[in-house]
Amino acid sequence: MAQKLFIDNSKLTNNRAIFGRISIVASIIVIITILDALAASYRRGANEIDIITGRSSEIVGKIYGNVKNINDIGFTSDSPYLKLIFDEKLFSGYWLGEGMWRGEIKTDYSLLPGKYQIKIIFNDTSNIKPDDRIKVEKLSTYTVNVYSDAKALRQGSLSFIKRFTGISPWSIAIAFFPIVLISGALVFVMSGRIDTDMAQHGFAEVYRVSRHENGLEIFFGLGKKHGLEAGEKMNLFNESGDILAEIVVDNIGKETSSAVINMPKIKPGCMVGRIQYRQMASYNC
């Protein structure tokens, strides 16, 4: 029976692995949902509104031209069953303080599903340069996508996630982001406890392996702080906890050190142990 490491951190190590997997899965979900939401936003026109026939939707827009009150603003619509009712009060934008108007798009049950346009008309545009009027007209034109019911609205979504689940990808990203933070923090705390416990007993995980002209250079979390000395001999353990070879510390730092070995197939996660701490144990790296 080969020698094993003394420290039994199996429960803590298993918990770390579980929370690590949770963090990875949650991170993937967050990334996928954000990419889906951004792709849908990119494909969607700036002035597009989705609505179910027979219902209403709030709309907010910027004021152009000389507008003193709501009577200086009007609209045209593709259909008599699609109307815009303006709020009587104008207001200033939150960020830049620009003049804004607010209204409510109303659809009649007689309105068939399809694409319609509503154009906002400003009665006095004399203070707008002729070259800018085409741009203003474009910014003041809204495309209204009318759907027969909620199912049709969902199927028409540009977001693949919302189309198949009915849930906004932003909502999913917001829900899973705290899971990423919490599970990641737990992994960090558990790793710290494991590393501290192992270091107290003269052991450390190999956290990085890089190529060296004389073979491989392995890096581990033991250093001068733990009493390690340059030239000290240590044991290298494989993934099963069996001793593979005896190594010599080459470069030593405050909390980390490295050694060069001429041996293939060494990877992060294996262990090193100071020989004076060698004892029988049941730890697997």
Side-chain angles (χ1 to χ4, degrees):
M1 186 71 178
Q3 282 205 331
K4 305 292 185 178
L5 300 181
F6 176 74
I7 312 162
D8 185 6
N9 280 316
S10 58
K11 184 176 181 181
L12 200 57
T13 302
N14 290 338
N15 289 339
R16 181 180 65 173
I18 291 171
F19 282 109
R21 294 187 188 99
I22 292 173
S23 179
I24 292 172
V25 172
S27 298
I28 292 173
I29 292 173
V30 169
I31 292 171
I32 290 174
T33 52
I34 289 177
L35 290 176
D36 178 73
L38 292 176
S41 299
Y42 179 79
R43 294 167 59 197
R44 183 182 178 87
N47 288 352
E48 283 198 39
I49 299 170
D50 296 332
I51 193 171
I52 297 174
T53 185
R55 298 187 183 181
S56 59
S57 177
E58 186 180 66
I59 181 174
V60 175
K62 183 180 176 182
I63 291 173
Y64 297 96
N66 296 316
V67 176
K68 296 181 179 179
N69 55 60
I70 201 63
N71 294 323
D72 295 329
I73 306 176
F75 76 94
T76 60
S77 171
D78 284 350
S79 171
Y81 302 116
L82 179 64
K83 298 180 180 180
L84 175 58
I85 300 176
F86 290 102
D87 192 307
E88 293 293 330
K89 294 182 179 180
L90 305 176
F91 66 98
S92 297
Y94 182 79
W95 297 109
L96 301 177
E98 299 173 315
M100 306 289 290
W101 56 267
R102 181 183 290 109
E104 185 179 21
I105 293 178
K106 289 196 170 184
T107 61
D108 190 271
Y109 284 103
S110 300
L111 184 65
L112 297 175
K115 285 184 178 291
Y116 299 87
Q117 282 192 338
I118 286 182
K119 293 183 178 180
I120 308 303
I121 299 174
F122 300 97
N123 296 336
D124 185 0
T125 58
S126 58
N127 64 339
I128 300 177
K129 297 178 181 180
D131 294 341
D132 293 335
R133 291 182 182 179
I134 296 177
K135 180 180 178 181
V136 169
E137 182 179 353
K138 183 178 179 180
L139 293 172
S140 301
T141 301
Y142 294 84
T143 299
V144 183
N145 302 311
V146 180
Y147 296 91
S148 58
D149 52 32
K151 182 179 180 181
L153 176 63
R154 192 181 83 180
Q155 291 176 343
S157 175
L158 296 176
S159 164
F160 292 104
I161 292 175
K162 189 171 184 179
R163 190 184 306 167
F164 292 106
T165 67
I167 304 173
S168 167
W170 290 116
S171 298
I172 297 175
I174 292 171
F176 276 86
F177 187 66
I179 298 176
V180 175
L181 295 180
I182 294 172
S183 57
L186 289 173
V187 169
F188 180 79
V189 171
M190 291 177 184
S191 295
R193 288 180 58 186
I194 292 171
D195 291 343
T196 299
D197 194 18
M198 287 193 302
Q200 289 175 352
H201 292 81
F203 300 113
E205 284 190 18
V206 174
Y207 65 85
R208 181 160 69 93
V209 178
S210 62
R211 293 190 177 277
H212 190 273
E213 58 182 4
N214 295 322
L216 297 174
E217 186 172 14
I218 59 172
F219 297 82
F220 47 89
L222 286 175
K224 295 178 181 178
K225 176 181 177 181
H226 310 101
L228 195 66
E229 298 178 355
E232 182 175 331
K233 293 182 178 180
M234 303 180 70
N235 285 327
L236 174 66
F237 300 84
N238 67 5
E239 296 176 353
S240 301
D242 300 320
I243 297 176
L244 286 177
E246 193 175 87
I247 63 173
V248 178
V249 179
D250 292 316
N251 299 308
I252 185 167
K254 183 179 179 181
E255 296 184 1
T256 62
S257 302
S258 68
V260 176
I261 60 172
N262 187 11
M263 182 179 294
K265 298 181 179 180
I266 301 299
K267 61 183 181 181
C270 290
M271 303 289 298
V272 296
R274 301 179 71 182
I275 293 177
Q276 57 264 45
Y277 286 86
R278 184 191 304 175
Q279 297 186 44
M280 295 296 292
S282 59
Y283 181 88
N284 291 333
C285 64

